[in-house]
């Protein structure tokens, strides 16, 4: 419905464009820029809402109200926070590596924006349905680690460095089970394109065929986005704030934004791969997608406000000795079933 | 100016831009004094190479390039730098010595590369059709049929490397006599004995309970 | 390395100490990566106040540790010599502000012992009730902060929710929520019957007491109700922590404290009971009315088996339940009568010296009091349990990881004002 | 048998006097023999004082009294050991080898009274701020920064607001 409307708009603009005699390439470029802006706005809005939701959910988990003062039931709290963060002084430590330190918060945002390109928000609401969608997502999300390494190293602070090291070792070990858990879905769907995977779930969600894969994905994804109980890189009680110890103001906000955006993205991918994406009866497709993503986000929040934190070596053990073997078994069984 | 020309010009611009980034950052990798930054430029070079693959419509290769070179190898290099270099030194220097030797080796390598590339017979890549839809499928099929032998050879090589790594790691341990955890635990026990006072009154633990 | 060394030298570790550390037999060099110094604190999220730990680290493994204390040193010993006995009482609340009632209790008993003041039995009961309430409050702070340090944020808020009830109870009793100044020589300041909250019906997070009551909720009703309900709440904490696999992994088998080491270092309280030694001063010294309480309730001090963090955790959890039983028993059996005996306004204590100790939530809180017959103490020495408990930390954390440092330090339950005094 | 008699029967070398006050049993000993006295008190099975509550000092104006409070967790009896040392530049042997926890207490006494402990593994001022001069718990100590007069602490010249 929405996609149809957008498409008809685009068609008419296109026709007018051709009539004017300007090469279509320029239209494509303008379209790409506009889409980028739209996606950026989506990210920012989603993160603002997510911070509010997180605080409210946390509040109710802890039998308190959460933010209540700014606006009705604290609805304007995220905006107040954003204003606060913008106003903060931007501090760069004297002995920090200035350029790397400054660049890191922007690099961390690159994968966020790039991943959004292949996510189907609704029926035909997808920017570019790459036929290597999932591979693309995992490839691009690896860049986030580089940003964290940059930030941790350039801060010239031992806590930051420890946080960065933890982050890297964690992501390296959880990337494998994550990819393996998703491969089961790829085998079932017979395609790596995100749109194709959603189409393949028209009859039944993949969570039914891949319960183990879903669980592994959930754990590994939680670890990938550094949420409790895997939030070691920024475990404030242990290493102050990990890689973003020295960051303040907008630079910190960028890290923060990227972290929440990553959480959102991980939930969206989970909803797409295992929960049937945007498909659902009655309601418009983006709403269904949002509901499923919300459910995933809620699970992550639930984790955070219930569990203590793992220790580094326990985390590694869990990744390599539990998740990885199970992911292999899952993959093997799926492949055998599909062949037979 | 027709649309087609513009497109061609644009793709040329993109190509030269990416090539410029690749070449420029490659040069920076070997000239920069700060080893961490030069490693970052290495990553940039890898990334730009992936961009070049995309201009050739080889999306799969591009994704694999980013996944393996940027996500795995590059990060590993950065990690190694952080671990081995003096911890907490923002201006860790890379030492680019023996320039002449390096240049000679590079030149020789280039020469042999050209020589080999000129001589070698590459089997023509079978036509898979112009569509990029089935590119992943196509690559997979190719690897398991036409290029099965090279693929298996590479696999064996990788397995060998893996086993080698494990063996080397085990050797380290064997040289130390025991893994770090065990050593630490043992040492803790030693300390317990030396640090604690001998229990003078000869009481058993149970006697102390009232 | 040299830079680190200089910087740390400038900030308090002596040369001797540093060389002593550097001369220690180190692990085999084969797999040892570069060691570095790291500062934890004085402002660090999990040092509970202002403690500074200078760590020598090998990656994430702690090779050695030097605690730096004294950031909260206020000279409470010296202050005692400048104030009269009565004036000094409020200062004691600041020694261990998490369990101020108990520090007061110790001081008041020391002075009473030296001055030969009799205490009415009702006052003794009230003292035990408030002490045990405060012990629960203190353990709740410990539990909340420990879980927070381990990354579980929600139990922290649960704990403080229940602590709030105790704080409200104390507010009803003496108008203060943290530094009470409630005990007096020869008794207590106010009777618990006078403590009424006019905002009836009083609803404390699900505990509805005396609904529609006309004069509000009185202390006795609310405290009794609290003691009844609280064990269920402890079950809640256990449901979210004890039965959590991650929590178990983080606590069990970590930070062993062998009994002989604990004795040698003078570790007290739940920490030594966690090491398997049922050494509870309430039971050993039988001060105040604790003998009756123990006989009446039949409670035995809980002990651990191995002396790891998990045992210390279990001991404290059990102590909270026991304290509830004690409060209930005291409220059931409290006699009528005066709450204070006649004590001269200007108290002059006979010449002499004594040592009085109590079982504070953290262990043996003692006061060594020397009087020269005037109205001011000649010398007053506070023995804070945290001081000794902290001194064993370097021994305990060697060879563990930073994350374990947090768990071990948390399980020791050190309060810095009590340590620095 | 009372504790006093038990100790008297042991005839520990270095013990000067055993004094029974209403609240504490005080044992005076010679400062040179500290290791022997405390060692025997700790290791003798009839006494087994295995617990050092604390150690501290009192400024008696002419000399310092050093006080060790021992407790036996087995027999549940307590004893207060006392000895006298010089007030200025005094020293006594460290007992950290007998009670590991004594090291910190000894540092505290050094910090507060200026009493040196021989053989202490890491002597330092444990509680007061770096650069502190003087020993606060000596009776004639007056804070250089805050002069107490008439019950009101007055800031010295250098800290006053201009």
């Amino acid at each position: 419905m929405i996609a149809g409307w957008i498409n008809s708009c685009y068609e008419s603009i296109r026709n007018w464009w051709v009539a004017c005699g300007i090469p279509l390439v320029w239209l494509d470029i303008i379209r790409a820029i506009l889409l980028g802006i739209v996606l950026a706005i989506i990210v920012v809005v989603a993160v603002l809402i997510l911070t509010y939701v997180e605080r409210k959910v946390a509040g109710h988990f802890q039998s308190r109200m959460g933010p209540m003062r700014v606006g009705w039931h604290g609805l304007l709290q995220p905006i107040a926070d954003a204003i606060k963060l913008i106003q903060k002084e931007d501090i760069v430590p004297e002995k920090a590596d200035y350029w790397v330190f400054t660049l890191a918060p922007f690099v961390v945002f690159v994968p966020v924006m790039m991943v959004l390109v292949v996510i189907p928000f609704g029926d035909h609401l997808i920017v570019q349905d790459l036929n290597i969608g999932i591979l693309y997502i995992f490839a691009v999300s690896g860049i986030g680690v580089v940003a964290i390494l940059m930030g941790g190293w350039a801060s010239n602070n031992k806590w930051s460095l420890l946080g960065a090291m933890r982050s890297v070792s964690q992501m390296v070990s959880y990337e494998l089970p994550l990819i393996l858990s998703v491969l089961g879905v790829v085998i079932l769907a017979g395609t790596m394109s995100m749109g194709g995977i959603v189409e393949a779930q028209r009859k039944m969600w993949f969570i039914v065929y891949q319960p183990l894969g879903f669980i592994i994905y959930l754990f590994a994804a939680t670890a990938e986005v550094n949420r409790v109980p895997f939030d070691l890189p920024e475990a404030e009680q242990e290493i102050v704030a990990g890689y973003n110890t020295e960051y303040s103001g907008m630079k910190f906000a960028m890290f923060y934004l990227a972290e929440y955006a990553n959480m959102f993205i991980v939930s969206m991918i989970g909803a797409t791969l295992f929960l049937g994406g945007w498909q659902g009866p009655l309601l418009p497709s983006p709403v269904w997608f949002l509901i499923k993503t919300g459910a995933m986000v809620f699970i992550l929040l639930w984790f955070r406000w219930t569990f203590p934190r793992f220790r580094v070596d326990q985390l590694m053990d869990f990744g390599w000795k539990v998740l990885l073997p199970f992911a292999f078994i899952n993959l093997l069984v799926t492949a055998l079933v599909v062949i037979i | 100016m027709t649309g087609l020309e513009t497109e061609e010009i644009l793709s040329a611009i993109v190509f030269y831009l990416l090539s410029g980034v690749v070449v420029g950052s490659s040069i920076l990798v070997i000239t920069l004094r700060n080893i961490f930054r030069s490693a970052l430029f290495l990553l940039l070079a890898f990334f730009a190479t992936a961009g070049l693959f995309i201009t050739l419509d080889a999306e799969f290769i591009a994704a694999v390039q980013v996944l393996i070179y940027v996500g795995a190898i590059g990060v590993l290099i950065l990690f190694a730098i952080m671990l081995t270099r003096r911890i907490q030194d923002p201006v860790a220097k890379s030492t680019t010595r023996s320039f002449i030797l390096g240049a000679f080796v590079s030149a020789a390598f280039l020469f042999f590369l050209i020589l080999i590339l000129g001589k070698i017979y590459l089997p023509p890549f079978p036509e898979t059709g112009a569509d990029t839809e089935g590119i992943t499928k196509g690559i997979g099929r190719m690897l398991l049929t036409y290029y099965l032998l090279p693929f298996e050879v590479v696999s064996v090589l990788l397995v060998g490397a893996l086993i080698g790594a494990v063996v080397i790691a085990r050797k380290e341990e064997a040289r130390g006599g025991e893994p770090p955890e065990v050593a630490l635990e043992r040492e803790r026990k030693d300390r317990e004995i030396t640090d604690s006072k001998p229990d003078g009154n000869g009481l058993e633990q149970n006697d102390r309970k009232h | 390395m040299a830079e680190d060394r200089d910087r740390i030298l400038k900030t308090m570790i002596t040369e001797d100490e540093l060389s002593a550390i550097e001369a220690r037999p180190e692990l085999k060099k084969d797999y040892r990566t570069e060691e570095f110094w790291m500062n934890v604190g004085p402002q660090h999220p999990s040092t509970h106040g202002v403690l500074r730990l200078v760590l020598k680290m090998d990656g994430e493994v702690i090779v050695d540790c030097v605690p730096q204390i004294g950031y909260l040193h206020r000279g409470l010993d010296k202050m005692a010599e400048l104030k009269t006995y009565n004036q000094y009482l409020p200062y004691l609340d600041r020694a261990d502000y998490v369990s101020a009632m108990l520090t007061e209790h110790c001081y008041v008993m020391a002075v009473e012992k030296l001055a030969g003041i009799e205490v009415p039995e009702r006052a003794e009961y009230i003292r035990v009730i408030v002490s045990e309430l405060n012990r629960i409050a203190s353990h709740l702070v410990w539990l909340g902060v420990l879980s927070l340090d381990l990354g579980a944020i929600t139990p922290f808020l649960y704990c403080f929710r229940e602590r709030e009830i105790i704080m409200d109870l104390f507010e009803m009793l003496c108008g203060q929520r943290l530094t009470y100044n409630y005990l007096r020589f020869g008794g207590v300041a106010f009777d618990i019957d006078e403590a009424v909250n006019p905002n009836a019906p009083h609803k404390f997070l699900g505990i509805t007491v005396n609904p529609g009551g006309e004069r509000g909720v009185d202390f006795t009703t609310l405290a009794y109700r609290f003691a009844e309900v609280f064990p269920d709440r402890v079950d809640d904490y256990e449901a979210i922590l004890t039965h959590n696999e991650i929590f178990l992994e983080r606590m069990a088998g970590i930070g062993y404290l062998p009994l002989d080491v604990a004795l040698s270092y003078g570790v007290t309280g739940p920490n030594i009971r966690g090491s398997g030694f049922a050494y509870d001063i309430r039971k050993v010294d039988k001060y105040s009315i604790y003998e009756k309480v123990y006989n009446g309730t039949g409670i035995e001090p809980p002990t651990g088996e191995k002396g790891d963090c998990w045992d210390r955790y279990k001991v404290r959890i059990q102590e909270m339940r026991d304290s509830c039983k004690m409060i209930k028993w005291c409220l059931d059996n409290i006699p009528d009568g005066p709450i204070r005996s006649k004590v001269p306004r200007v108290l002059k204590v006979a010449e002499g010296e004594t040592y009085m100790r109590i079982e504070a939530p953290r262990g043996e809180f003692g006061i060594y009091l020397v009087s020269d017959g005037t109205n001011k103490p000649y010398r007053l020495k506070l023995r804070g349990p945290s001081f000794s408990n902290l001194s064993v930390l370097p021994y305990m954390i060697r060879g563990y990881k930073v994350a374990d440092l947090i768990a071990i330090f948390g399980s020791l339950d050190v309060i810095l004002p009590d340590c620095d005094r | 048998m009372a504790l006093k008699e038990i100790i008297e029967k042991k005839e520990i070398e270095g013990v000067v006097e055993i004094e029974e006050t209403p609240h504490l049993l005080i044992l005076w000993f010679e400062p040179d023999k500290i290791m022997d006295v405390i060692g025997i008190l700790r290791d003798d099975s009839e006494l087994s004082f295995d617990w050092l509550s604390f150690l501290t000092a009192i400024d008696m104006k002419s000399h310092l009294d050093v006080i060790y409070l021992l407790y036996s967790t087995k027999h549940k009896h307590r004893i207060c050991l006392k000895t006298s040392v010089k007030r200025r530049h005094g020293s006594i042997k460290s007992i950290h080898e007998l009670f590991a926890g004594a090291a910190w207490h000894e540092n505290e006494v050094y910090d507060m009274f200026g009493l040196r402990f021989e053989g202490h593994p890491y002597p330092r001022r444990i509680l007061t701020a770096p650069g502190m001069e003087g020993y606060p718990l000596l009776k004639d100590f007056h804070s250089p920064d805050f002069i107490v007069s008439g019950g009101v602490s007055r800031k010295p010249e250098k800290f006053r607001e201009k």
Side-chain angles (χ1 to χ4, degrees):
Chain A
M1 189 177 67
I2 298 168
W5 180 75
I6 290 173
N7 272 343
S8 63
C9 276
Y10 179 69
E11 282 300 317
S12 54
I13 292 172
R14 204 178 120 109
N15 291 337
W16 172 78
W17 199 271
V18 172
C20 286
I22 312 168
L24 265 180
V25 183
W26 295 112
L27 180 63
D28 286 346
I29 292 171
I30 291 169
R31 179 167 158 264
I33 292 168
L34 277 179
L35 275 171
I37 293 168
V38 168
L39 287 183
I41 291 170
I42 287 175
V43 169
V44 172
V45 171
V47 168
L48 284 181
I49 293 171
L50 199 55
T51 53
Y52 175 76
V53 168
E54 162 132 53
R55 297 170 80 169
K56 269 294 179 197
V57 167
H60 286 282
F61 266 109
Q62 295 162 353
S63 63
R64 56 189 176 89
M65 303 297 285
M68 289 294 284
R69 297 294 171 93
V70 194
W72 184 77
H73 276 252
L75 267 178
L76 298 178
Q77 188 68 45
I79 295 165
D81 285 344
I83 292 170
K84 180 198 77 178
L85 278 171
I86 290 166
Q87 286 176 333
K88 285 267 164 112
E89 187 189 353
D90 185 29
I91 301 167
V92 179
E94 200 180 55
K95 287 196 171 174
D97 190 335
Y98 182 84
W99 282 107
V100 180
F101 186 84
T102 314
L103 268 177
F106 298 94
V107 176
V108 81
F109 231 78
V110 170
V112 172
M113 294 303 294
M114 287 178 82
V115 167
L116 280 179
V117 170
V118 294
I119 289 181
F121 295 95
D123 198 0
H124 289 97
L125 266 183
I126 181 167
V127 177
Q128 185 72 54
D129 193 3
L130 292 179
N131 56 10
I132 49 157
I134 288 177
L135 192 67
Y136 169 81
I137 287 171
F138 290 129
V140 170
S141 61
I143 302 170
V145 192
V146 179
I148 285 173
L149 264 179
M150 286 166 70
W153 187 80
S155 299
N156 193 16
N157 177 322
K158 283 166 191 168
W159 300 117
S160 303
L161 194 73
L162 270 183
M165 284 192 184
R166 281 181 171 196
S167 178
V168 172
S169 47
Q170 178 174 329
M171 287 200 189
V172 166
S173 17
Y174 277 79
E175 193 99 13
L176 274 176
L178 188 70
I179 294 176
L180 288 177
S181 71
V182 168
L183 279 186
V185 170
V186 174
I187 290 175
L188 283 181
T191 173
M192 283 206 278
S193 116
M194 297 293 270
I197 288 170
V198 176
E199 282 300 319
Q201 297 179 68
R202 205 166 269 287
K203 277 187 194 141
M204 185 59 82
W205 294 357
F206 280 153
I207 188 174
V208 179
Y209 303 125
Q210 290 277 313
L212 187 61
F214 178 71
I215 291 167
I216 293 167
Y217 174 82
L218 199 61
F219 286 157
T222 317
E224 279 282 301
V225 296
N226 301 335
R227 297 284 297 182
V228 174
F230 305 101
D231 65 333
L232 293 159
E234 48 206 285
E236 63 251 36
Q237 285 84 15
E238 291 161 23
I239 52 172
V240 190
Y243 56 86
N244 53 27
T245 304
E246 294 286 357
Y247 281 96
S248 65
M250 268 324 278
K251 289 193 188 120
F252 171 74
M254 293 288 273
F255 270 116
Y256 193 73
L257 210 64
E259 201 184 310
Y260 274 80
N262 272 328
M263 182 172 139
F264 207 66
I265 284 170
V266 155
S267 304
M268 289 198 283
I269 296 169
T272 309
L273 295 184
F274 293 99
L275 302 180
W278 42 261
Q279 299 187 36
L282 294 175
L283 292 170
S285 55
V287 176
W288 269 113
F289 186 66
L290 214 61
I291 289 171
K292 287 168 184 173
T293 309
M296 290 286 290
V297 167
F298 182 76
I299 292 174
L300 290 184
L301 295 185
W302 197 349
F303 278 176
R304 168 147 190 202
W305 299 109
T306 314
F307 286 136
R309 182 183 299 126
F310 272 116
R311 207 175 59 211
V312 184
D313 51 333
Q314 292 165 351
L315 178 105
M316 293 292 151
D317 278 2
F318 187 65
W320 290 105
K321 293 181 184 165
V322 180
L323 285 190
L324 196 61
F326 273 111
F328 267 123
I329 292 168
N330 183 48
L331 185 64
L332 203 68
V333 170
T334 314
L336 284 177
V337 167
V338 167
I339 287 170
I340 294 162
Chain B
M1 199 199 290
T2 62
L4 198 67
E5 275 173 4
T6 328
E7 223 163 291
E8 272 171 5
I9 291 167
L10 268 178
S11 64
I13 288 172
V14 168
F15 172 75
Y16 283 113
L17 215 65
L18 286 171
S19 312
V21 171
V22 172
V23 173
S25 48
S26 302
I27 290 170
L28 282 173
V29 169
I30 50 169
T31 51
L32 271 182
R33 307 296 294 175
N34 186 327
I35 190 167
F36 190 83
R37 285 190 186 184
S38 69
L40 286 179
F41 276 109
L42 185 65
L43 293 199
L44 186 62
F46 288 153
F47 200 63
T49 315
L52 281 179
F53 282 130
I54 286 186
T55 60
L56 296 172
D57 282 341
E59 287 157 3
F60 182 79
I61 306 286
V64 169
Q65 165 89 7
V66 174
L67 186 69
I68 291 174
Y69 280 94
V70 179
I73 294 179
V75 168
L76 206 66
I77 289 172
L78 287 181
F79 199 55
I81 288 171
M82 293 199 331
L83 277 180
T84 52
R85 282 282 154 172
R86 245 188 70 179
I87 212 158
Q88 280 299 295
D89 189 357
V91 282
K93 296 283 193 301
S94 74
T95 46
T96 12
R97 283 200 214 102
S98 33
F99 176 80
I100 297 165
L101 188 69
F104 178 73
V105 169
S106 313
F109 185 71
L110 188 70
F111 174 73
F112 282 113
L113 204 66
I114 291 168
L115 208 67
I116 290 167
L117 283 179
K119 286 276 170 66
I120 203 163
Y121 169 71
L122 280 174
F125 194 76
E127 208 61 39
T128 51
D131 67 316
T132 51
E133 271 303 305
I135 187 163
T136 318
K137 216 174 249 178
I139 287 173
R141 189 159 291 145
M142 278 292 122
L143 278 180
L144 287 179
T145 53
Y146 197 80
Y147 293 111
L148 185 62
L149 188 68
F151 179 72
E152 286 301 326
V153 169
V154 169
S155 309
V156 170
L157 188 72
L158 282 178
V159 169
L162 209 64
I163 292 170
V166 171
V167 167
I168 289 169
R170 299 289 298 181
K171 247 188 195 159
E172 286 283 318
E173 257 172 37
R175 194 145 41 91
E178 51 203 342
E181 285 83 10
V182 177
L184 277 170
E185 187 55 38
R186 182 181 49 74
E187 206 214 2
R188 272 183 52 71
K189 285 209 180 99
D190 290 351
R191 283 216 173 109
E192 268 164 33
I193 294 159
T194 48
D195 281 9
S196 62
K197 72 173 179 66
D199 195 358
N201 48 27
L203 273 179
E204 286 302 313
Q205 206 152 306
N206 295 334
D207 294 351
R208 284 212 179 84
K209 287 188 180 166
H210 293 279
Chain C
M1 201 66 186
E3 211 175 287
D4 281 344
R5 208 188 126 107
D6 290 348
R7 206 179 64 236
I8 285 160
L9 268 181
K10 264 183 222 151
T11 50
M12 264 176 85
I13 300 190
T14 61
E15 192 76 58
D16 296 343
E17 207 164 355
L18 202 67
S19 49
I21 290 169
E22 306 226 312
R24 283 215 175 97
E26 294 305 348
L27 304 181
K28 287 205 174 69
K29 290 285 173 195
D30 280 358
Y31 46 80
R32 182 156 282 269
T33 49
E34 191 174 352
E35 285 162 354
F36 59 101
W37 290 93
M38 194 148 79
N39 238 332
V40 181
Q43 274 142 6
H44 182 271
S46 65
T47 50
H48 308 183
V50 277
L51 167 71
R52 177 167 161 230
L53 298 169
V54 181
L55 302 179
K56 189 183 190 188
M57 310 256 300
D58 176 20
E60 287 233 0
V61 177
I62 297 165
V63 179
D64 219 312
C65 156
V66 184
Q68 302 281 322
I69 59 171
Y71 291 92
L72 272 170
H73 178 62
R74 293 144 297 172
L76 282 177
D77 289 14
K78 183 76 176 175
M79 252 184 245
E81 296 171 15
L82 305 173
K83 307 280 173 206
T84 65
Y85 286 100
N86 275 315
Q87 281 174 335
Y88 188 58
L89 188 55
Y91 285 91
L92 253 302
D93 293 333
R94 276 83 181 166
D96 177 359
Y97 53 65
V98 183
S99 55
M101 284 289 187
L102 288 115
T103 52
E104 277 179 36
H105 195 182
C106 184
Y107 174 64
V108 164
M109 281 202 301
V111 175
E112 280 160 0
K113 199 168 165 190
L114 213 53
I117 300 168
E118 287 291 315
V119 185
E121 201 176 7
R122 184 175 173 82
E124 292 278 24
Y125 272 82
I126 296 175
R127 282 180 181 183
V128 168
I129 292 166
V130 293
S131 289
E132 293 307 320
L133 277 174
N134 210 333
R135 188 185 312 280
I136 294 176
S138 169
H139 280 354
L140 282 175
V141 171
W142 159 80
L143 180 61
V145 171
L146 174 71
S147 62
L148 189 67
D149 284 353
L150 293 180
I153 302 159
T154 303
F156 172 76
L157 284 126
Y158 285 180
C159 291
F160 270 61
R161 183 184 64 189
E162 267 71 72
R163 182 171 175 268
E164 202 64 11
I165 303 173
I166 300 174
M167 296 293 107
D168 280 350
L169 277 168
F170 286 153
E171 194 183 348
M172 285 160 70
L173 199 58
C174 57
Q176 289 292 331
R177 292 167 68 83
L178 198 67
T179 51
Y180 312 108
N181 192 19
Y182 173 64
L183 270 52
R184 294 285 184 273
F185 303 126
V188 293
F190 311 102
D191 200 339
I192 53 172
D193 287 348
E194 293 163 18
V196 170
N197 191 332
N199 303 326
H202 206 107
K203 194 161 181 246
F204 278 119
L205 305 152
I207 306 177
T208 316
V209 197
N210 195 11
E214 277 178 19
R215 58 186 282 269
V217 181
D218 63 322
F219 182 92
T220 316
T221 322
L222 190 57
Y224 199 85
R225 185 84 185 105
F226 174 77
E228 272 179 351
V229 170
F230 186 66
D232 296 344
R233 300 292 172 88
V234 179
D235 289 343
D236 284 356
Y237 311 149
E238 290 215 76
I240 200 169
L241 290 175
T242 311
H243 304 304
N244 187 320
E245 193 65 30
I246 302 174
F247 189 73
L248 185 69
E249 287 267 313
R250 290 295 302 275
M251 297 290 281
I254 305 282
Y256 285 113
L257 180 60
L259 183 55
D260 54 344
V261 177
L263 279 172
S264 176
Y265 275 92
V267 176
T268 35
N271 298 331
I272 199 167
R273 289 197 283 282
S275 297
F277 181 21
Y279 180 59
D280 189 324
I281 295 160
R282 285 176 291 178
K283 183 125 176 136
V284 175
D285 277 15
K286 304 185 175 76
Y287 63 90
S288 199
I289 52 158
Y290 272 111
E291 191 168 13
K292 282 186 207 166
V293 175
Y294 272 106
N295 289 338
T297 53
I299 292 168
E300 283 297 319
T303 52
E305 285 155 15
K306 297 182 205 141
D308 55 356
C309 292
W310 184 248
D311 280 341
R312 292 192 280 279
Y313 164 80
K314 293 292 279 182
V315 164
R316 283 198 177 85
I317 291 280
Q318 187 54 41
E319 275 184 31
M320 286 202 268
R321 295 180 194 276
D322 290 351
S323 288
C324 280
K325 279 186 205 159
M326 291 186 192
I327 293 165
K328 265 202 274 191
W329 187 86
C330 285
L331 285 167
D332 281 338
N333 294 292
I334 186 164
D336 284 334
I339 54 157
R340 216 181 321 168
S341 58
K342 280 248 180 267
V343 175
R345 196 162 279 270
V346 180
L347 184 69
K348 285 201 174 168
V349 175
E351 210 171 318
E353 59 195 275
T354 186
Y355 178 65
M356 188 67 222
R357 56 177 192 169
I358 57 149
E359 178 73 19
R362 280 157 201 85
E364 177 179 334
F365 185 88
I367 286 181
Y368 176 69
L369 184 62
V370 180
S371 166
D372 58 352
T374 62
N375 60 352
K376 292 176 184 171
Y378 185 75
R379 170 91 173 92
L380 188 143
K381 153 84 185 166
L382 298 177
R383 188 235 189 250
S386 301
F387 189 74
S388 297
N389 290 359
L390 185 61
S391 70
V392 80
L393 184 71
Y395 171 85
M396 288 170 79
I397 62 171
R398 254 171 239 150
Y400 285 110
K401 297 191 170 59
V402 187
D404 293 326
L405 160 70
I406 307 303
I408 294 168
F409 182 67
S411 77
L412 278 179
D413 191 17
V414 172
I415 287 279
L416 267 303
D418 178 34
C419 176
D420 296 349
R421 302 181 302 283
Chain D
M1 197 159 35
L3 178 60
K4 188 181 172 186
E5 289 157 30
I6 301 174
I7 298 173
E8 273 169 353
K9 204 179 68 189
K10 299 278 173 202
E11 290 176 350
I12 304 163
E13 198 188 342
V15 174
V16 179
E17 188 194 350
I18 302 173
E19 187 187 344
E20 193 137 30
T21 67
H23 306 293
L24 282 173
L25 184 71
I26 298 171
L27 184 149
W28 290 87
F29 64 97
E30 290 168 22
D32 305 341
K33 298 283 185 343
I34 175 168
M35 297 302 270
D36 304 339
V37 173
I38 296 182
I40 290 170
L41 287 178
R42 193 192 72 174
D43 295 338
D44 192 285
S45 62
E46 266 183 285
L47 302 169
S48 70
F49 284 103
D50 55 352
W51 181 272
L52 177 76
S53 274
F54 64 87
L55 71 90
T56 186
I58 303 182
D59 180 17
M60 303 306 283
K61 289 180 181 148
S62 57
H63 58 273
L64 283 182
D65 277 356
V66 190
I67 292 158
Y68 300 83
L69 215 93
L70 297 182
Y71 182 77
S72 163
T73 53
K74 187 184 178 192
H75 304 297
K76 295 179 196 166
H77 49 220
R78 183 184 295 140
I79 194 164
C80 175
L81 308 185
K82 279 195 182 184
T83 190
S84 298
V85 292
K86 271 199 306 191
R87 189 161 175 278
R88 289 278 179 202
H89 312 296
S91 71
I92 193 166
K93 265 222 167 82
S94 165
I95 59 160
H96 76 276
E97 283 165 15
L98 299 171
F99 293 101
W104 277 37
H105 287 284
E106 281 167 356
N107 268 344
E108 193 190 333
V109 172
Y110 165 63
D111 196 358
M112 296 294 158
F113 294 92
L115 178 65
R116 297 257 166 201
F117 286 88
E118 292 161 22
H120 194 283
Y122 40 88
R124 65 163 154 137
R125 309 201 67 147
I126 189 169
L127 288 174
T128 51
M132 172 88 185
E133 282 172 21
Y135 301 102
L137 277 182
L138 293 179
K139 287 285 178 188
D140 56 359
F141 174 84
H142 292 295
S143 165
D145 285 349
F146 292 89
I147 301 147
V148 178
S149 63
V152 182
S153 58
R154 186 165 52 79
K155 280 184 180 176
E157 204 68 34
K158 61 175 176 178
F159 289 120
R160 278 209 201 125
E161 284 165 28
K162 302 241 159 52

